[in-house]
C-alpha cells in the first residue's frame, strides 16, 4: 500500500480512502494504492469495496503534472479495467468534483452514490485530450450516446441531480462520503446485489457521427480535441467489443496527447493558476475592501461598477453632472438586466444591487469613506491629475487610489498625490463586467499591500489578474500596438485586410484585427494617430493615412454601419467595404509601393513574429515578470486561441530560432520596426525557451 490510499475493514467492506490533497489527483501513488487495495480486499475475503476521497473531493482527474513525462504503471485505463473486473462489489461515493479520470474510476465501479453538491464531468477536451481511461466507452453506455457526446465534447460538469436522471449515478444521499458510501455498500450486500459492470452493458446507439464530427470541428475553430471525442464515442457504438472500443479510445488519446494543442492547453491550465502567485506577495495581507468608489460612469466605469456590484461590493459612482450620473446608472442597470436575463442574479438581487448598494453622486465628499477608488474618466493626463488631486484631499487614510488608464504613466499620476504608495493602475478590459483580464499596474512607489489588494479585488471579481509594470500600454496594449502595426505594414505592401482577418481567424483568433478595429471604433486609432503625429513620429516609422480618410468621411466601423466592412442591420458580421481597397490602392500608388502577394502562412508568421518580439521586449524590460504573464494577458484580453497557449508558448513550440529568423529577414526591409528583442536573441543563443524562464521565476 502507499500512503495515498488508506485501507480499513468495516465488516465485509474494505474501505479505500484517497488522501492526496488538494484534489486527489490520480497520480502514481494513488493508482498503485487503489490497485493494491482492491487486490488486498479480494485476498482478505471482503465482499465489497468502498472508494471515496478525503478532503474536498473525490478524484478530480488524472495527475496533469505527469503528462509529457515517461508513463509509469499501473496505468489508469488498466486500473479502471481491473476495478471493473473485480468479483467484489465496488462502490464509489462521490463528493466535490469527480472529473476526468476520477469519473472514469467511478464508472468502472459497480455502483455510484453521490452527495447532493457533487459535480461530475469529463473536462479532458479543455486540456486538449479526450477521456482516456474508458470514459468515452462507459459514459455512453450509462447515459446514452447523445448525452455522453454533449458532456464529453463540451467538458461540461453536471450536478448530482442531473447525473442521477442521466443514469450516471445510482443514488444521492446527504452526509459525509464515507458514511453514505458505507451505508449504500451495506444495503447492497444485504439485498444480495450482484456485481454490475458498465463495460458489460450493451453498446450505445449509433448516430450520424460523420456529420457531428464535421460540425464539432467547425465549432472548435481549429481545436481538435472535441471532434476527436466524437470519433472515440463512435467507437463505443460501432465496435464489436468493449476491448476494441477501448483500444480505439487509446489510439485517439495518444494522438491528442502528442499534439501541440495539448501542450498549449496544459500550459494555459497551469499558467492561469500561477499568474496571480507572486513571490513578493507571500505573507502580505491585502487591505480591507468593504466598499469601492468609481469615478466616471462611461463604458468602462459602468462595467467596473457592474462587476463590483455582482460580487456584492457596495459602489459609490461619481459623475460630473446629475445627467451624467443618471446616464451612468442607466448603463449599469442595462448591464445588470443582462445578468438577470441570463439567470445570473434573481429579481430580488437585481433590486438590491441597483437600489441599495449602488450610490450615485456628483460630490467627491461621497468618496470619503470608501476603501478603494477606481478612476475611469477621459484618457487625458490633465483630467486625471485633477481627479487624483481631489481624491488625495477627500479619501480616508489608507484608501487605495487606482486608475483604469489604458496608456498613461501611472507614476506621473501617483506623483500628483501626497500618497504615491497608495496609487496603482487597475486596467480592466471592455466590457469590464464580461472580460476576464485585469492588469494590475504596479508603479515605482506602490506599496506591496496595495498590490496584494489589487489581486484580491481581481479574485473577488473573478478576473485573471496579471502584474504589469509601467510603460506605454502596459503589457497588452503595448504588444497589440506592435502586431497591429505589422498588419498595417502588410496592407501597404500588398495584403488585403480581408485576407489578413481570414488568415488569423483560421489560426484561431476569435476575430481578425480589422474586424476588431471596426468593433472598437476606428475613431480610437484615428485620435491616437493624430496625437502621435502631433508629438512627432520617428521619420523611420511607416505611417498610413487611408483609414483617416474613412474616418473623415464619418465611417467609424460597426457603430456607423461602415468601416473595413459594411454592416447591415439585423445581420451578424459584415461584408468587405469595396471603398477600402480603392483607398489602399491610392495610398500605395502615392507612396510608390508595388504591391506583392502574401500567402496566408506568411501573414500569420509575420504577425506572430511581431507579437513575440514585442512580448520578449516586455519580459526583458521587466514590464511582465514571466513569459506566462504575457500569455495569460493575450489569452484573456485579446482573443488569442487558448489551444495555442499564448504567444510565447506558441513561439517555444514553433522554435525560437525560427521566429528570430523571420524577424531578421523582415528587418532587411525595415530594420527600425523589426529590431530583434535582446531577450529573444539571448534565449536562442543559449538554446533555452520562454518556458525555462517561467520555471525559473515561479
Ligand atoms: N492534476 C494535478 N494537479 C491538479 C489537478 C490535476 N488533475 N487538478 C487541480 N490540480 C492542482 C492545481 O494546479 C492547483 O495547484 P496549485 O495550488 O499548486 O496551484 C491545486 O490542484 C488546486 O486546484 P485549483 O486551484 O484549480 O482549485 P479549485 O478548487 O479552484 O478547482 C478543480 C478544483 C475543479 C478540481 C480544478 O482544479 C480542475 O478543474 N482541475 C482539473 C480537472 C481535470 O481537468 N481533470 C481531468 C484531468 S485529465 C484526465 O483525467 C485524463 C484521463 O481521462 C486519462
Ligand atoms: P467614456 O468616455 O465612455 O467615459 C468617461 C466618463 O467619465 C464619462 O461618463 C464622463 O462623464 C466621465 N468623466 C469625465 N471626467 C470626469 C470627472 N472629472 N469626474 C467625473 N466623471 C468624469 O470613456 P471610457 O471608454 O469608459 O474610458 C474611461 C477610461 O478607461 C479611459 O482612461 C480609457 O483609456 C480607459 N479604458 C477604456 C477602455 C475601452 O475599451 N473603452 C478599455 C480599458 C481602459
Amino acid at each position: 500500500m502507499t500512503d495515498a490510499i488508506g485501507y480499513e475493514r468495516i465488516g465485509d467492506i474494505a474501505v479505500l480512502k484517497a488522501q492526496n490533497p488538494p484534489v486527489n489527483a490520480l497520480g502514481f501513488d494513488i493508482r498503485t494504492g487503489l490497485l493494491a487495495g482492491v487486490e488486498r480486499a479480494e485476498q482478505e475475503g471482503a465482499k465489497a469495496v468502498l472508494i471515496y476521497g478525503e478532503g474536498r473531493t473525490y478524484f478530480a482527474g488524472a495527475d496533469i503534472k505527469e503528462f509529457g513525462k515517461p508513463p509509469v504503471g499501473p496505468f489508469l485505463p488498466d486500473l479502471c479495467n481491473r476495478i471493473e473486473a473485480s468479483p467484489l462489489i465496488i462502490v464509489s461515493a462521490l463528493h466535490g468534483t469527480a472529473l476526468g479520470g476520477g469519473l472514469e474510476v467511478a464508472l468502472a465501479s459497480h455502483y455510484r452514490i453521490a452527495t447532493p453538491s457533487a459535480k461530475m464531468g469529463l473536462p479532458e477536451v479543455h486540456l486538449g485530450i479526450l477521456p482516456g481511461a474508458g470514459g468515452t466507452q462507459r459514459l455512453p453506455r450509462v447515459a446514452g450516446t447523445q448525452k455522453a457526446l454533449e458532456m464529453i465534447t463540451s467538458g461540461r460538469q453536471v450536478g448530482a441531480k442531473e447525473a442521477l436522471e442521466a443514469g450516471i449515478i445510482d443514488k444521492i444521499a446527504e452526509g459525509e462520503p464515507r458514511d453514505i458510501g458505507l451505508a449504500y455498500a451495506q444495503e447492497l450486500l444485504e439485498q444480495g446485489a450482484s456485481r454490475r459492470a458498465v463495460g458489460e452493458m450493451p453498446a450505445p446507439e449509433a448516430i450520424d457521427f460523420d456529420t457531428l464530427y464535421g460540425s464539432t470541428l467547425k465549432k472548435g475553430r481549429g481545436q481538435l480535441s472535441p471532434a476527436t471525442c466524437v470519433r472515440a464515442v463512435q467507437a463505443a457504438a460501432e465496435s464489436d467489443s468493449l476491448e476494441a472500443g477501448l483500444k480505439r479510445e487509446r489510439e485517439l488519446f495518444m494522438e491528442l496527447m502528442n499534439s501541440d494543442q495539448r501542450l498549449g492547453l496544459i500550459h494555459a491550465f497551469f499558467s492561469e493558476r500561477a499568474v496571480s502567485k507572486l513571490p513578493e506577495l507571500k505573507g502580505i495581507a491585502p487591505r480591507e475592501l468593504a466598499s469601492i468608489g468609481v469615478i466616471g460612469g462611461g463604458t468602462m466605469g459602468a462595467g467596473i461598477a457592474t462587476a463590483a456590484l455582482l460580487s456584492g461590493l457596495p459602489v459609490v459612482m461619481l459623475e460630473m453632472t446629475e445627467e451624467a450620473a443618471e446616464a451612468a446608472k442607466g448603463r449599469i442597470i442595462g448591464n445588470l438586466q443582462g445578468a438577470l436575463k441570463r439567470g445570473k442574479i434573481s429579481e430580488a438581487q437585481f433590486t438590491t444591487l441597483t437600489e441599495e448598494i449602488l450610490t450615485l453622486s456628483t460630490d467627491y465628499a461621497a468618496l470619503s469613506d470608501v476603501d478603494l477608488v477606481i478612476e475611469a474618466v477621459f484618457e487625458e493626463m490633465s483630467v486625471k491629475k485633477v481627479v487624483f488631486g481631489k481624491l488625495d484631499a477627500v479619501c480616508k487614510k489608507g484608501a487605495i487610489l487606482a486608475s483604469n488608464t489604458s496608456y498613461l504613466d501611472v507614476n506621473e499620476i501617483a506623483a500628483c498625490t501626497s500618497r504615491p504608495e497608495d496609487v496603482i493602475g487597475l486596467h480592466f478590459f471592455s466590457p469590464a463586467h464580461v472580460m476576464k483580464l485585469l492588469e494590475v499596474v504596479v508603479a515605482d512607489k506602490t506599496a506591496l499591500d496595495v498590490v496584494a489588494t489589487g489581486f484580491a479585488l481581481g479574485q473577488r471579481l473573478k478576473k485573471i489578474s496579471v502584474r504589469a509594470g509601467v510603460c506605454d500600454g502596459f503589457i497588452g496594449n503595448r504588444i497589440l500596438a506592435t502586431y497591429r502595426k505589422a498588419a498595417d505594414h502588410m496592407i501597404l505592401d500588398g495584403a488585403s485586410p480581408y485576407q489578413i482577418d481570414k488568415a488569423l481567424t483560421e489560426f484561431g483568433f476569435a476575430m481578425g484585427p480589422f474586424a476588431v478595429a471596426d468593433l472598437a471604433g476606428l475613431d480610437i486609432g484615428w485620435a491616437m494617430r493624430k496625437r502621435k503625429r502631433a508629438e512627432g513620429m520617428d521619420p523611420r516609422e511607416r505611417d498610413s493615412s487611408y483609414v483617416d480618410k474613412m474616418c473623415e468621411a464619418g465611417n467609424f466601423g460597426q457603430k456607423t454601419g461602415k468601416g473595413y466592412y459594411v454592416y447591415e442591420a439585423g445581420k451578424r458580421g459584415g461584408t468587405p467595404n469595396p471603398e477600402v481597397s480603392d483607398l489602399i490602392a491610392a495610398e500605395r500608388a502615392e507612396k510608390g509601393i508595388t504591391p506583392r502577394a502574401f500567402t496566408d502562412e506568411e501573414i500569420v508568421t509575420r504577425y506572430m513574429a511581431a507579437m513575440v518580439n514585442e512580448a520578449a521586449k516586455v519580459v526583458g524590460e521587466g514590464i511582465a515578470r514571466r513569459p506566462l504573464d504575457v500569455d495569460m494577458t493575450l489569452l484573456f484580453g485579446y482573443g488569442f486561441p487558448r489551444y495555442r497557449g499564448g504567444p510565447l508558448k506558441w513561439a517555444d513550440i514553433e522554435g525560437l530560432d525560427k521566429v528570430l529568423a523571420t524577424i531578421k529577414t523582415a528587418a532587411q526591409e525595415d530594420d527600425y520596426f523589426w529590431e530583434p528583442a535582446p531577450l529573444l536573441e539571448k534565449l536562442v543563443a543559449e538554446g533555452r525557451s520562454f518556458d525555462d524562464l517561467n520555471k525559473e521565476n515561479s
Side-chain angles (χ1 to χ4, degrees), residues 573-606:
T575 49
N577 175 1
E579 294 161 21
V580 173
S581 307
D582 294 343
L583 288 172
I584 294 171
E587 182 158 8
R588 285 182 194 138
E590 196 184 301
K591 289 191 154 75
I593 298 169
T594 311
R596 70 173 177 91
F598 281 81
T599 61
D600 288 2
E601 194 192 342
E602 188 181 2
I603 287 171
V604 169
T605 307
R606 284 214 166 193

Side-chain angles (χ1 to χ4, degrees), residues 295-301 318-320 324 331 364 375-380 383-384 387 390 403-407 427-430 477 524:
I295 308 189
T299 312
M300 291 308 292
L318 192 92
E319 258 291 353
M320 286 198 288
R331 281 184 206 105
Y364 274 77
E375 161 282 307
V377 304
F378 304 132
E379 185 76 343
E380 275 287 334
V383 181
K384 307 254 186 212
V387 169
K390 287 185 185 165
S403 173
N404 181 49
T405 178
S406 308
Y407 293 93
H427 183 218
F428 290 81
F429 289 71
S430 180
N477 282 346
I524 294 180

